[in-house]
Amino acid sequence: MTIGILTEKPSASRNFAAALGGMAGNFQGQDYKITAARGHLYEFADPAAMVAPTLAEQYKSWELEHLPWNPADFAWKRVMKQGAQATVKDIKTTLSACDEIVIATDVDPSGEGDLIFWAIIDELKLHGKKFSRMEFTDEAAPSLQKAFLARRPVKSMQSEAAFRMADFRTKFDLLSMQWTRIATKTAGQRAVLRQGRLKSAMIKLVGDQLKAHNDYQKIPFYGNRFRDENGVVYINPEEPVFADRKDVPAGYTPSPVVLDNRSLKRQAPPRLLDLAGLSARLSTKGVKASMVLATYQKMYEDQVVSYPRTEDKTITTEQFNQLLPHVDKIAAVVGADVSLLTQRTPRKTHVKDSGAHGANRPGPNVPASLDALKAKYGVIAPLIYEELGRSYLAMLAEDYVYERQEGHLAKYPPFKGASNVPKSLGYKAIFDTEEAEEKDEVESAAGLGTNADPFVHEGFPKRPVHPSMKWLMKQLEKRDVGTGATRTSTYAEVTNEKAKYPLLSEKRGKITMAECGEMGYRLLPGTHIGDLSVTEFVQGEMKAVAAGTKTADDALRIVADWVIEDITVMQANAVTMRKELGMTTAPVQTREKFEGCFKKTGELVSFNRVWGTNEHWKGHRFTDDECEKLLDGAVISFDAISKKKSEYTAVGTLEEGTFNGRSFHGFKLDFDKQDPAASLVPKTMMGHRFTADERKSLEAGKKIYVDGLKSSKGNTFGATLYIGIKDGETKKRVLLDFGK
């Protein structure tokens, strides 16, 4: 009996091989083979490709009359992702020869690992096999060996709660594509306004915060306070405040300070960084999220840093022990004082035997220096490593210790003050978080003074902070919207300056609205998709589906009602939006788009589905097959009609161009390319439509005489036609011979 182990990615398969003794072999009497996916190998097809042919045109349309979609119409058909063919073939070859197949993808709370596994099994039609699940807390050898021997039997795909949960979420997210169509159509502008759970949440949060920040009015208020010789301020919360300084009553005199309480406080190191937290810290240094993602991935592939897309906030005991021998080397690279790293046993707050990949941290391959990282991975790499390294090392340092002093004024007891007196910096000497700096607490080495003098304090309401990446990531985390990895990748997408329709703009971490983001934000008020609680709803439904108290079909039915209601709300909001932004009040017809991965560059692109429209011709609508060929870089051809009513064969490819300073992708005619399937004989020439016999004769190399040809001036004449190469040209075409 051979056991097939399917891991989520190649790096995991290498860890499994190291634990069990190779990519294939025998572990404690059990034969096994290991194969690996590369994350998601399959995704849901375009909505129009998942419904009956009679409904396809309806689901291709962006017109609101065809919404909402009916989930019951979908076959939930999957398609293989671009470039996955070789990986799928290898998996099929390996698993087909096995008697038992093991789910060895990531164990995560969202069920994503199980979804990756079962989509592959489903598409390869391997359901007849015996299945089991390896449940591991990390990828250390002892953990994997234990999980292999303690495999949990699995009855079927639908019997697994993790799969049901993730399957529901992906279906919900596909149905949320409807909101992009609603926003795009109701806005009535030539722009695609992308909406969805995470994108809409980002727009809503940033828009609200920008409004609060920009609407702030700095209106002063005045009141009596005291300040001692050490700068500590004493406040009476009941003391009245006034709009004018001259109205503040006098009468207070200096007073001795009475120390009420002196206590020693400890503050543990902050929790380890996730990808969103790391990106947010680096954004203040001008580093884009997309740059962090790209550089981190390269470093991870060499095991210089840990797995990027983890949801874990802690690490396991095994992971702690794996990195412990490398601690001094890591400290040397980031310039941390090794003598401060005295806590070399696991902290209960940071080390827990749960999760899978563990929080983001340095990897086992410690670089020689930050300069070596820069030389190999670029200028962002040292910044990433130093942040991760210091964050991790802080866990090994002592607590920050300070003395909390609290007191009041002898003559005026309601006036109270406090000061934190640092005693030992502890982890702060290695990694001081920005969160600590934001607290409104007095920190003074001198502590409370002995006497305080009265003064008139001028204060202002605290201005709402300008939204930043760091601020946004905190808000999303607080509301549990997305994971650290998805927040970062989505943020990189919506702030991409090269994107055709970016939603947000970021400069050194500060966020403003891009044009499309501004439109989207003004469409969201009162909508379901713009309600931040929608994520809480989805998570609740995920749990219900996982528990078996509700089916995915039942949970998805609510989406149609939301769509109907949101169409009405967005249409009303669009009127206000166009007025406030000074846009045209007449909705612009949105062109149908096709989206996919452009093989030439590897980026996600969209292009017009209809090409060549003119007053004589409604244009050519690319078929699904033609669209896929264009994305693959292939040459395609089709019959077309020019502005001069001439029929011809259009031959071309998908190319990138620019218009009004913006880049776009679209079909481009290329007269130098020849479609091998196209005839050298056009359908019409100089007013003459070739018959089938005439076409056949010309293609056979014969000459034919044609009467009734029309010149550009409208004159009628006859001539002998043949296929040849004109002087100075290189390609064959139909030529005229007046001498024969």
Side-chain angles (χ1 to χ4, degrees):
M1 175 176 169
T2 303
I3 301 166
I5 302 173
L6 177 58
T7 66
E8 188 163 318
K9 49 198 168 295
S11 61
S13 70
R14 292 191 291 270
N15 291 335
F16 275 71
L20 301 180
M23 290 296 290
N26 184 285
F27 184 78
Q28 294 196 16
Q30 300 185 64
D31 293 329
Y32 69 87
K33 291 181 179 180
I34 301 173
T35 187
R38 291 181 178 273
H40 287 280
L41 300 181
Y42 293 92
E43 59 191 359
F44 284 133
D46 185 80
M50 293 196 293
V51 298
T54 54
L55 298 174
E57 288 301 320
Q58 174 183 327
Y59 278 86
K60 288 173 184 175
S61 173
W62 282 51
E63 297 302 324
L64 300 183
E65 64 191 69
H66 297 305
L67 300 178
W69 293 340
N70 182 357
D73 288 341
F74 290 118
W76 300 111
K77 173 185 174 184
R78 303 184 191 92
V79 292
M80 190 186 302
K81 296 186 75 172
Q82 185 77 24
Q85 291 87 345
T87 303
V88 169
K89 183 179 179 181
D90 181 66
I91 292 173
K92 184 174 183 179
T93 300
T94 300
L95 298 185
S96 295
C98 295
D99 305 288
E100 177 186 338
I101 301 177
V102 180
I103 310 171
T105 48
D106 292 349
V107 180
D108 52 62
S110 68
E112 204 71 16
D114 291 74
L115 181 65
I116 289 171
F117 174 88
W118 286 113
I120 295 170
I121 297 301
D122 204 30
E123 293 303 316
L124 295 183
K125 296 178 171 45
L126 294 173
H127 284 293
K129 300 281 186 178
K130 177 183 178 182
F131 293 100
S132 60
R133 191 17 154 157
M134 282 180 64
E135 292 166 329
F136 43 91
T137 55
D138 55 46
E139 292 179 3
S143 299
L144 296 180
Q145 291 166 356
K146 180 180 178 181
F148 177 74
L149 296 175
R151 301 186 302 279
R152 173 176 61 83
V154 170
K155 184 178 179 181
S156 66
M157 178 173 75
Q158 288 297 336
S159 69
E160 289 295 283
F163 167 75
R164 296 197 304 271
M165 178 172 60
D167 180 58
F168 160 72
R169 181 189 55 76
T170 55
K171 288 176 178 176
F172 181 95
D173 287 344
L174 182 134
L175 293 177
S176 71
M177 291 169 58
Q178 294 176 87
W179 276 281
T180 292
R181 299 189 181 190
I182 299 170
T184 299
K185 291 298 294 185
T186 56
Q189 307 300 310
R190 293 192 181 278
V192 176
L193 304 183
R194 297 191 177 279
Q195 299 293 333
R197 283 193 302 134
L198 186 48
K199 291 186 179 73
S200 294
M202 287 183 171
I203 294 172
K204 179 77 166 93
L205 286 167
V206 171
D208 285 349
Q209 189 67 14
L210 272 174
K211 186 176 187 306
H213 178 82
N214 294 333
D215 290 351
Y216 169 80
Q217 294 184 16
K218 191 176 182 180
I219 301 175
F221 60 86
Y222 301 90
N224 283 307
R225 293 187 180 182
F226 287 77
R227 182 186 295 113
D228 69 21
E229 69 270 25
N230 293 336
V232 178
V233 175
Y234 298 79
I235 303 171
N236 175 9
E238 302 299 324
E239 185 73 11
V241 294
F242 302 88
D244 197 316
R245 181 187 293 271
K246 69 178 187 304
D247 294 332
V248 179
Y252 286 117
T253 59
S255 170
V257 173
V258 178
L259 179 63
D260 295 321
N261 182 52
R262 188 195 302 263
S263 59
L264 205 61
K265 302 286 187 180
R266 307 181 71 89
Q267 188 179 90
R271 64 182 183 178
L272 299 172
L273 289 174
D274 63 8
L275 202 55
L278 171 66
S279 296
R281 288 177 67 89
L282 293 180
S283 69
T284 60
K285 300 178 182 179
V287 181
K288 299 289 187 183
S290 57
M291 299 166 68
V292 175
L293 288 169
T295 305
Y296 195 112
Q297 180 64 31
K298 293 176 184 177
M299 296 168 69
Y300 161 66
E301 289 169 1
D302 290 338
Q303 292 191 294
V304 175
V305 292
S306 64
Y307 180 64
R309 299 182 180 276
T310 178
E311 295 183 43
D312 299 335
K313 305 295 185 184
T314 58
I315 59 173
T316 66
T317 303
E318 286 292 340
Q319 290 165 345
F320 179 87
N321 292 334
Q322 277 184 326
L323 210 51
L324 193 59
H326 305 290
V327 163
D328 289 354
K329 292 181 181 178
I330 295 170
V333 173
V334 301
D337 187 348
V338 177
S339 67
L340 298 174
L341 309 179
T342 55
Q343 292 291 318
R344 302 209 178 195
T345 55
R347 282 180 177 267
K348 292 181 179 180
T349 51
H350 293 68
V351 181
K352 298 179 181 180
D353 288 327
S354 60
H357 297 288
N360 294 98
R361 61 195 184 280
N365 289 342
V366 182
S369 65
L370 295 179
D371 287 339
L373 284 173
K374 180 179 178 181
K376 186 168 184 179
Y377 305 105
V379 295
I380 308 302
L383 301 177
I384 291 174
Y385 196 83
E386 185 166 14
E387 290 287 348
L388 281 184
R390 288 184 174 275
S391 169
Y392 187 83
L393 295 175
M395 174 180 63
L396 306 176
E398 299 289 341
D399 291 349
Y400 166 57
V401 181
Y402 62 96
E403 183 181 83
R404 175 75 169 177
Q405 295 183 8
E406 298 173 336
H408 69 274
L409 301 184
K411 293 170 66 174
Y412 313 105
F415 283 86
K416 297 178 180 179
S419 177
N420 295 333
V421 182
K423 294 297 182 181
S424 173
L425 286 178
Y427 76 83
K428 285 194 174 186
I430 296 172
F431 185 71
D432 194 5
T433 64
E434 295 178 17
E435 285 80 2
E437 296 170 5
E438 292 176 355
K439 291 182 179 179
D440 189 19
E441 294 180 353
V442 178
E443 192 168 87
S444 169
L448 297 183
T450 56
N451 285 280
D453 296 318
F455 71 98
V456 176
H457 168 74
E458 181 185 42
F460 302 91
K462 190 173 182 180
R463 185 177 190 179
V465 299
H466 191 290
S468 64
M469 182 185 180
K470 175 176 175 291
W471 174 88
L472 178 58
M473 293 301 143
K474 281 185 178 179
Q475 300 305 310
L476 293 170
E477 183 178 10
K478 184 190 299 181
R479 293 167 172 80
D480 203 15
V481 181
T483 65
T486 57
R487 292 175 205 133
T488 305
S489 58
T490 303
Y491 181 81
E493 179 187 344
V494 300
T495 57
N496 184 357
E497 295 174 347
K498 295 182 180 180
K500 192 171 183 180
Y501 306 114
L503 300 176
L504 302 174
S505 178
E506 179 212 316
K507 288 186 179 179
R508 296 195 70 82
K510 284 194 172 183
I511 309 172
T512 55
M513 286 287 193
E515 182 182 10
C516 289
E518 189 69 60
M519 287 190 285
Y521 172 67
R522 292 168 186 265
L523 292 174
L524 288 176
T527 63
H528 292 283
I529 198 64
D531 187 343
L532 294 174
S533 66
V534 70
T535 292
E536 183 179 349
F537 167 82
V538 171
Q539 289 174 336
E541 296 297 90
M542 286 171 64
K543 292 177 182 177
V545 171
T549 58
K550 184 177 284 190
T551 67
D553 290 341
D554 290 337
L556 291 172
R557 288 196 182 101
I558 190 66
V559 177
D561 293 336
W562 287 359
V563 167
I564 292 171
E565 293 170 13
D566 282 3
I567 287 175
T568 302
V569 174
M570 281 195 180
Q571 285 175 327
N573 289 345
V575 175
T576 305
M577 178 210 76
R578 287 192 289 270
K579 182 178 180 181
E580 292 178 348
L581 298 180
M583 295 176 171
T584 175
T585 56
V588 177
Q589 293 299 315
T590 304
R591 296 184 179 183
E592 183 183 2
K593 297 282 186 178
F594 191 88
E595 185 177 272
C597 180
F598 191 23
K599 189 175 182 180
K600 184 177 179 180
T601 61
E603 62 180 322
L604 183 69
V605 303
S606 66
F607 56 92
N608 289 335
R609 191 76 186 255
V610 178
W611 178 88
T613 305
N614 58 55
E615 59 181 315
H616 309 298
W617 184 45
K618 66 178 182 179
H620 174 75
R621 184 180 184 278
F622 300 115
T623 65
D624 289 348
D625 182 59
E626 287 174 331
C627 289
E628 293 297 342
K629 286 181 178 178
L630 288 172
L631 289 171
D632 285 341
V635 177
I636 68 167
S637 64
F638 49 87
D639 295 335
I641 301 174
S642 72
K643 293 179 180 178
K644 296 182 178 180
K645 296 186 180 181
S646 298
E647 297 182 32
Y648 68 101
T649 300
V651 181
T653 54
L654 185 66
E655 300 293 341
E656 183 177 8
T658 57
F659 181 74
N660 287 340
R662 284 191 171 185
S663 62
F664 70 96
H665 287 78
F667 177 77
K668 182 180 180 182
L669 280 175
D670 193 334
F671 297 101
D672 293 328
K673 284 186 169 64
Q674 182 63 47
D675 178 20
S679 170
L680 294 172
V681 184
K683 289 187 175 183
T684 61
M685 180 176 176
M686 305 183 77
H688 175 75
R689 179 176 292 275
F690 290 103
T691 65
D693 288 340
E694 288 174 334
R695 185 183 300 275
K696 186 176 181 181
S697 296
L698 286 169
E699 290 176 343
K702 297 179 181 180
K703 295 182 178 181
I704 64 170
Y705 183 82
V706 175
D707 202 1
L709 297 173
K710 290 184 179 180
S711 69
S712 59
K713 295 182 179 181
N715 297 323
T716 302
F717 64 95
T720 299
L721 307 182
Y722 67 99
I723 293 178
I725 301 176
K726 191 175 181 179
D727 292 344
E729 296 181 350
T730 59
K731 293 184 178 181
K732 292 182 178 182
R733 62 187 178 92
V734 178
L735 301 177
L736 284 71
D737 188 343
F738 294 100
K740 297 179 184 178

